[in-house]
């Protein structure tokens, strides 16, 4: 089965050359042609994420710093592109805030909350799309809606 990552959500900085059919795509090896904020020095951005019912302010600087000396975990369904590397969104939020996505049976935040915050900070986010040998999109059982 083959897989590619497609742009997920809203990305303010654009995602490649207009009209390019591969714009916004990234292969599973992690190479890209136009990462977030490519070709410019961005101004610092900040947003809030709700963790345990409290609003926590985070910035793109915290995300960049959180990736230093870290190795990205294995992506599941969603990834975020930071400095040309694909990261699981909850790993980025956990590294930036120090709060794990869950503690025992308590959920502190989920990947959708992490994706929303990371999109607001200007990072490109992607969702995994899988294809079978004939090129048809494969929908995982857990993603099917009745």
């Amino acid at each position: 089965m083959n897989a590619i990552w497609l742009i997920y959500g809203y990305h303010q900085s654009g995602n490649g050359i207009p009209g390019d059919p591969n714009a916004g795509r990234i292969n599973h090896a992690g190479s890209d042609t136009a990462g977030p904020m490519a070709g410019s020095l961005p101004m610092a951005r900040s947003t809030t994420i709700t963790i345990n019912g409290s609003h926590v302010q985070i910035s793109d600087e915290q995300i960049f710093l959180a990736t230093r000396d870290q190795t990205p975990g294995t992506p599941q369904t969603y990834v975020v592109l930071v400095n040309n590397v694909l990261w699981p969104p909850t790993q980025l939020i956990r590294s930036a805030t120090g709060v794990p996505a869950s503690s025992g049976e308590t959920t502190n935040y989920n990947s959708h909350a992490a994706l929303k915050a990371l999109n607001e900070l200007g990072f490109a986010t992607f969702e995994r799309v899988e294809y079978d040998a004939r090129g048809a999109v494969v929908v995982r059982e857990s993603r099917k809606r009745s």
Side-chain angles (χ1 to χ4, degrees):
M1 190 172 314
N2 295 316
I4 62 171
W5 296 100
L6 294 177
I7 286 281
Y8 178 86
Y10 178 69
H11 177 54
Q12 295 174 327
S13 299
N15 56 25
I17 302 165
D20 179 357
N22 292 317
R25 290 185 179 200
I26 187 163
N27 68 28
H28 62 279
S31 64
D32 82 341
T33 56
M37 299 170 257
S40 65
L41 294 174
M43 294 178 59
R45 296 181 186 182
S46 66
T47 190
T48 58
I49 183 171
T50 303
I51 297 177
N52 294 331
S54 299
H55 297 292
V56 177
Q57 190 82 14
I58 60 169
S59 70
D60 56 353
E61 286 182 4
Q62 285 175 277
I63 300 300
F64 287 122
L65 290 172
T67 62
R68 286 190 177 176
D69 302 322
Q70 296 284 326
T71 302
T74 303
Q76 300 297 317
T77 303
Y78 304 104
V79 292
V80 181
L81 185 64
V82 180
N83 291 330
N84 295 322
V85 177
L86 294 174
W87 293 83
T90 54
Q91 180 184 359
L92 289 173
I93 299 298
R94 179 183 65 240
S95 297
T97 64
V99 179
S102 60
S103 304
E105 295 182 16
T106 304
T107 300
N108 299 320
Y109 53 88
N110 61 26
S111 60
H112 291 280
L115 286 168
K116 181 178 183 286
L118 293 161
N119 271 169
E120 290 172 358
L121 293 174
F123 294 101
T125 57
F126 301 85
E127 181 173 6
R128 182 180 179 91
V129 177
E130 296 176 344
Y131 297 89
D132 64 15
R134 297 172 306 178
V137 173
V138 175
V139 179
R140 295 183 199 174
E141 279 302 315
S142 63
R143 306 281 295 167
K144 289 182 180 177
R145 305 290 183 249
S146 48

